[in-house]
Amino acid sequence: MYKKIFKSLVAVSLITAIMGTTVLADEVTDLQNQKDQKQQELDNYEDELAYILVRIDEMELALAQKNNEIEEAQKELAEAEEKLSLQYKDMKLRIKYMYEDQSKSLSEVFLTSESMSEVLNKTEYVQQVYSYDRNKLEEMSNTAANIKELKSSLEKDKNELTTMTEELTQQQAVLYTSISESKDSLEELTTKLKNAQEKAARTIVASSATSQQTANVTVPPTTANNNSALASQVVAAAYNYIGVPYVSGGASPSGFDCSGFTSYLFGQFGVSLSRSSSAQSYGGVAVSMSEAQPGDIICYAGHVALYVGNGRIVHAPVPGKTVCETSVNIMPITGVRRYW
C-alpha cells in the first residue's frame, strides 16, 4: 500500500519536473527567437545606415563639384559681361566719330574721293564697321545669356542635391535612434535569455538528481572506450547534414531537433543515445570542457550539440533554422559527455 503511494508520488514529481523543464525550455527557445529577430532587425538597420552614409558621402562630393562648376561659370560670366561692356563702349566711340556729324562726313567722302567707286568703297567700309560692331555685340550678348542660363541650371542642381542630402541626414538621425533602441532591446533580451538558461540548467540538474535519488530512474550506463576513430566518423558524418531543417521531434535526415540529431549520428555507428537532451546530458562519461574532444556532446539548458573541435559545434538549433556549424559559446554550458 505504502509502496504504491510512494510510486505514485514519485511519478507525480517526475511529471511535474518534466513539465517544468519543458516550460523553461520553451521560454529559452522563445527568448532565443526574440533575440535572433532583434539581432536581424539591428543588422538591417546597420546595413541601411551604411548605405545612407555612402549616399551622403556621394552627395557631399557632388555638391563640392557643383560649387566648383558654379564658381567657374560665375567667373566666365563676369569676363563675358566685362568684354560685352568694353565692346559696347568701343562701338559707341566709333559711332561718335563716324556718325556724329554725318553730313560733314558724307561731304568729305564725296570731296576727298577721286571717283564714285571710291565713294562707294568708303561708304561700304562704314557699313562693314557698323555690321561688325552689331554682330560682335550680339555674339557677346548671347554668350553672356548662355552662361547665365548654365549658372541658373547649376544652382538648381545644387539645390536639389542639398535637399537630397538633408533628407538623407534626417534618415541617418532616425536610424541612429532605431539602432540605439534595438541595441538596448537586444541587451535586455540577452540578459533575460541568460537568466532563463541558467534557471533551466539549475532545474534540469535538480530534477534529474531528485528523480534518480527518489525514483531510482537511471540512464543505462555507457562506457566510453576512447575510440577516437569512432569519434572522427561521427564528426565527419555530422557535416553531411549541414542545412537539414530543424523539425521538433525530428530524428532523421528529413529533419532533426537537437537530441534527435546527436542520437541519429551515433546510432549510425552502433552507439545508442537517449532520445532527450536532458537524458543525454547524464549519459556517457562526464569530461570537463577543457578536456573536450571532437565527438563529445556539449550540453546546455534544454539543448545538446556535437563538439567538432576548435571551440566549434554542429547542432540543430531552433525552429526556422537548419543544422549548422557555430561557436560552442551559444549559451552557458552545463556539461560535456563522452559516448565514444
Side-chain angles (χ1 to χ4, degrees), residues 176-248:
Y176 276 136
T177 300
S178 298
I179 287 172
S180 177
E181 291 175 350
S182 293
K183 284 183 176 179
D184 290 342
S185 297
L186 188 60
E187 184 177 349
E188 182 181 353
L189 284 169
T190 300
T191 301
K192 288 182 177 179
L193 178 59
K194 181 181 178 182
N195 292 338
Q197 290 168 341
E198 291 175 349
K199 183 178 179 181
R202 289 194 299 269
T203 302
I204 289 172
V205 171
S207 63
S208 297
T210 300
S211 62
Q212 289 192 27
Q213 290 173 3
T214 60
N216 197 26
V217 177
T218 59
V219 177
T222 302
T223 302
N225 299 315
N226 291 319
N227 187 345
S228 58
L230 172 63
S232 298
Q233 289 177 309
V234 172
V235 170
Y239 283 96
N240 294 330
Y241 303 105
I242 296 289
V244 172
Y246 181 98
V247 174
S248 296

Side-chain angles (χ1 to χ4, degrees), residues 73 77 139-152:
L77 178 60
E139 177 185 337
M140 291 187 173
S141 179
N142 289 336
T143 299
N146 290 336
I147 294 175
K148 281 183 179 179
E149 184 177 351
L150 172 62
K151 181 186 174 186
S152 177

Side-chain angles (χ1 to χ4, degrees), residues 36-99:
D36 290 344
Q37 291 172 2
K38 187 59 65 174
Q39 183 64 58
Q40 185 61 56
E41 179 184 275
L42 177 60
D43 291 344
N44 291 339
Y45 282 145
E46 290 180 338
D47 288 345
E48 188 176 352
L49 176 62
Y51 170 75
I52 285 178
L53 291 175
V54 170
R55 292 286 294 140
I56 289 175
D57 188 59
E58 291 174 350
M59 292 297 103
E60 289 175 348
L61 290 175
L63 278 169
Q65 178 64 32
K66 200 62 66 177
N67 282 330
N68 290 337
E69 292 175 2
I70 290 172
E71 289 177 4
E72 186 64 28
Q74 182 63 43
K75 181 180 177 182
E76 291 177 2
L77 178 60
E79 291 174 353
E81 289 177 339
E82 184 179 359
K83 287 181 181 179
L84 178 62
S85 177
L86 289 173
Q87 183 68 24
Y88 182 64
K89 289 178 181 179
D90 290 344
M91 187 190 75
K92 284 200 301 182
L93 285 173
R94 279 192 289 272
I95 290 174
K96 178 179 180 181
Y97 290 122
M98 293 174 62
Y99 306 120

Side-chain angles (χ1 to χ4, degrees), residues 161-171:
L161 287 170
T162 300
T163 300
M164 291 173 64
T165 301
E166 290 173 352
E167 291 175 353
L168 288 170
T169 302
Q170 291 174 358
Q171 293 179 36

Side-chain angles (χ1 to χ4, degrees), residues 96-123:
K96 178 179 180 181
Y97 290 122
M98 293 174 62
Y99 306 120
E100 186 178 45
D101 190 354
Q102 198 173 59
S103 59
K104 181 180 178 181
S105 299
L106 289 173
S107 298
E108 288 180 352
V109 168
F110 280 103
L111 291 173
T112 59
S113 298
E114 297 180 357
S115 64
M116 182 57 69
S117 176
E118 188 176 349
V119 170
L120 293 174
N121 287 338
K122 290 183 177 181
T123 304

